[in-house]
Amino acid sequence: MEKTEMSILNILTEDARTPISQIAVMLGETEATIADTIARLERQRIILKYPALVNWERVDVDQVEAMIEVRVTPQRGEGFEAIAEQIYRFEEVSSVYLMSGGYDLLVNMKARTMRQLALFVAEKLSTIEHVISTATHFVLKKYKDQGVLMDETTEDLRLKVTP
């Protein structure tokens, strides 16, 4: 990947709303070059989406988020792919990761209520063939997400050091 492409990816990762004209100035390129590069990165599925990071605690909406550790028996000839695909096709699932360590897949999901989340785990996730076990961890509060402090305060909360 060339330097311009990496720079564009870094800029858009920091702020996906950065205008093409501003990126062109930042990188010393023409707007046409930047627009063409971004279009090519989208066609190659390197850039997949331009999401907003929302602090849901400040929005009056009921939502439960959980991370679920899933242990599975990999399938011959397919490994974890077929099971991961079954899981990521569920509408409730936000993301699925293949992990190293004590479990195989990490499933991130959101639901309106704890009951809905529990039913998903009990009726959909746990019943998939080759799923051995699950362990559900509920997100109680987010302090930092994707490199962004969720509730940044202007006050310095560090302990004062005195001589």
Side-chain angles (χ1 to χ4, degrees):
M1 178 160 284
E2 65 182 59
K3 183 180 176 187
T4 301
E5 292 172 332
M6 282 303 297
S7 296
I8 290 170
L9 293 175
N10 287 327
I11 291 166
L12 292 176
T13 298
E14 187 64 32
D15 184 359
R17 297 177 307 155
T18 307
I20 289 174
S21 58
Q22 186 177 343
I23 296 171
V25 170
M26 293 168 74
L27 301 181
E29 298 283 349
T30 66
E31 289 185 34
T33 299
I34 300 300
D36 291 344
T37 303
I38 291 172
R40 183 170 33 78
L41 292 170
E42 290 170 343
R43 280 193 309 276
Q44 293 173 338
R45 295 194 43 82
I46 293 171
I47 296 176
L48 299 173
K49 189 176 179 181
Y50 299 90
L53 180 58
V54 177
N55 187 348
W56 289 105
E57 289 183 13
R58 293 184 178 217
V59 179
D60 188 25
V61 64
D62 290 329
Q63 180 171 276
V64 180
E65 184 175 352
M67 296 182 188
I68 307 165
E69 299 174 2
V70 182
R71 290 185 59 225
V72 301
T73 303
Q75 295 179 333
R76 183 173 302 220
E78 295 183 19
F80 298 99
E81 300 298 319
I83 299 164
E85 182 177 351
Q86 277 184 279
I87 295 170
Y88 70 62
R89 294 212 179 272
F90 289 118
E91 181 180 316
E92 302 91 337
V93 172
S94 305
S95 54
V96 178
Y97 304 102
L98 179 61
M99 305 296 290
S100 64
Y103 57 96
D104 304 303
L105 299 172
L106 178 65
V107 176
N108 187 314
M109 67 163 294
K110 295 177 183 170
R112 283 189 310 112
T113 65
M114 195 81 88
R115 178 174 165 73
Q116 282 182 330
L117 201 140
L119 286 173
F120 170 82
V121 173
E123 296 176 358
K124 294 181 179 178
L125 188 59
S126 303
T127 59
I128 295 174
E129 187 177 4
H130 305 296
V131 168
I132 299 169
S133 66
T134 64
T136 303
H137 306 275
F138 296 97
V139 176
L140 302 177
K141 179 177 174 91
K142 288 186 182 181
Y143 295 99
K144 189 175 186 179
D145 193 2
Q146 299 180 34
V148 177
L149 295 177
M150 298 307 285
D151 195 20
E152 193 167 6
T153 59
T154 55
E155 180 184 351
D156 187 354
L157 299 176
R158 296 179 291 180
L159 294 175
K160 295 189 179 6
V161 178
T162 57

